[in-house]
Amino acid sequence: MIKKMSPSENDFDIPAKNCCRMVILGSTKVGKTAIVSQFLNGRFDEQYTPTIEDFHRKLYSIKGDAYQLDILDTSGNHPFPAMRRLSILTGDVFILVFSLDNRDSFQEVQRLKRQIIETKSCLKNKTKKNVDVPLVICGNKGDREFYREVQSEEIEQLVAGDEQCAYFEISAKRNTNVDQMFQTLFTMAKLPNEMSPDLHRKVSVQYCDMLRSKSLKNKNKKDDGDAYGIVAPFARRPSVHSDLMYIKEKAIGGGQGKDKERCTIS
């Protein structure tokens, strides 16, 4: 039995520049949660359960540096437009998912891409800074090619000329191209490729101390290729108030003093 223990804020000292929030958006039943499940656990669940909003956190030690990846798996119904806008404002990288056998879900991804650009542009105008939006569009259910409704030419038009946008046809069920998709997204976001599931050693919560020691080791050993990752148990989504304060600070302060900030692990 795995001992249930959660890394505390004292265990990891993670610079803000090493913290990233990934937001996954798309229509219902396109496989957003299945992609997250493959990323975190290497599993695919045949049973469909509608997602309201799920929050996950993964902690890494990569070549002696600690990283934190927060994952927000959103609802495809978007019952609260203001919450979706807040999710976009607080997101650093995005995965937009549609189903290759559902044209309506592709049209929703087109709308979502425009909304992300428009929403992030508002923040850009307030901070007077360039706001890059690393974004991957996923055509999921590649295993259902016979039922395909969206053609490659249409998708190429959506991503053409956008260096911060990539496209992958994947199958979350068969785990096809999922790792490659994440590697590309992390590269665009200037994050280590080792954050991708197949490029680090996965450790359980029993080994938090080992992960901590790896993240605090001598910084002179930068050539050490070790990479470890742990899914933080009982991770809680930051409150709406915290997210609003974060946005306010970015809009007013322009992110000053970012290097002195640290991630909050709750």
Side-chain angles (χ1 to χ4, degrees):
M1 178 181 294
I2 294 177
K3 181 180 179 182
K4 293 182 179 180
M5 54 186 293
S6 178
S8 69
E9 190 170 355
N10 293 328
D11 288 331
F12 297 92
D13 186 21
I14 307 178
K17 64 184 179 64
N18 289 359
C19 299
C20 179
R21 180 179 290 189
M22 176 191 298
V23 179
I24 304 178
L25 297 159
S27 299
T28 58
K29 300 183 179 180
V30 295
K32 300 186 296 298
T33 299
I35 293 170
V36 174
S37 180
Q38 286 287 10
F39 179 79
L40 293 176
N41 308 307
R43 294 199 301 262
F44 176 81
D45 190 354
E46 293 281 358
Q47 184 176 357
Y48 171 73
T49 303
T51 299
I52 298 175
E53 182 180 87
D54 290 333
F55 181 84
H56 309 273
R57 174 169 289 160
K58 189 160 185 175
L59 304 172
Y60 299 87
S61 173
I62 300 174
K63 299 179 182 178
D65 290 324
Y67 294 84
Q68 175 179 310
L69 177 68
D70 289 348
I71 303 171
L72 192 62
D73 181 10
T74 65
S75 168
N77 290 320
H78 307 303
F80 305 107
M83 286 299 296
R84 180 169 69 173
R85 179 176 171 83
L86 182 62
S87 298
I88 293 173
L89 283 169
T90 56
D92 299 301
V93 298
F94 296 86
I95 299 177
L96 304 186
V97 186
F98 72 94
S99 180
L100 288 164
D101 63 356
N102 187 320
R103 172 165 291 279
D104 289 342
S105 69
F106 176 63
Q107 293 172 341
E108 173 66 4
V109 158
Q110 292 175 300
R111 289 190 290 269
L112 285 167
K113 184 173 186 286
R114 288 195 299 268
Q115 183 179 10
I116 290 171
I117 293 173
E118 291 169 359
T119 302
K120 288 294 190 180
S121 294
C122 291
L123 188 61
K124 171 183 175 181
N125 292 335
K126 291 182 179 180
T127 61
K128 308 300 182 184
K129 286 189 174 184
N130 292 329
V131 179
D132 293 327
V133 187
L135 187 154
V136 168
I137 296 175
C138 289
N140 190 28
K141 304 188 181 180
D143 51 286
R144 292 175 55 83
E145 178 67 26
F146 181 78
Y147 302 96
R148 186 182 186 117
E149 293 185 1
V150 184
Q151 303 306 314
S152 300
E153 295 78 9
E154 302 173 84
I155 304 162
E156 290 171 1
Q157 292 178 3
L158 183 60
V159 302
D162 189 344
E163 295 181 356
Q164 287 294 96
C165 181
Y167 172 68
F168 282 85
E169 291 191 3
I170 70 169
S171 170
K173 182 176 183 178
R174 296 178 179 173
N175 201 22
T176 304
N177 285 337
V178 176
D179 287 336
Q180 294 88 330
M181 178 270 292
F182 280 110
Q183 286 182 40
T184 297
L185 180 61
F186 293 140
T187 297
M188 290 192 299
K190 298 180 173 59
L191 292 168
N193 285 337
E194 289 87 347
M195 294 175 75
S196 185
D198 61 339
L199 295 180
H200 64 266
R201 179 183 173 187
K202 301 170 185 64
V203 296
S204 71
V205 289
Q206 290 176 298
Y207 300 99
C208 286
D209 288 342
M210 182 185 74
L211 183 61
R212 176 176 179 268
S213 66
K214 290 292 181 181
S215 68
L216 298 177
K217 68 183 181 179
N218 192 322
K219 296 299 181 180
N220 292 328
K221 298 181 181 179
K222 286 290 186 179
D223 58 342
D224 192 327
D226 287 347
Y228 299 84
I230 178 173
V231 178
F234 317 119
R236 295 175 297 173
R237 189 198 195 286
S239 67
V240 172
H241 176 74
S242 297
D243 280 350
L244 290 172
M245 293 302 294
Y246 169 76
I247 294 301
K248 181 179 178 181
E249 183 174 331
K250 289 192 71 172
I252 296 176
Q256 293 178 358
K258 183 175 181 180
D259 291 338
K260 297 181 181 179
E261 297 173 357
R262 293 293 183 268
C263 294
T264 299
I265 299 180
S266 55

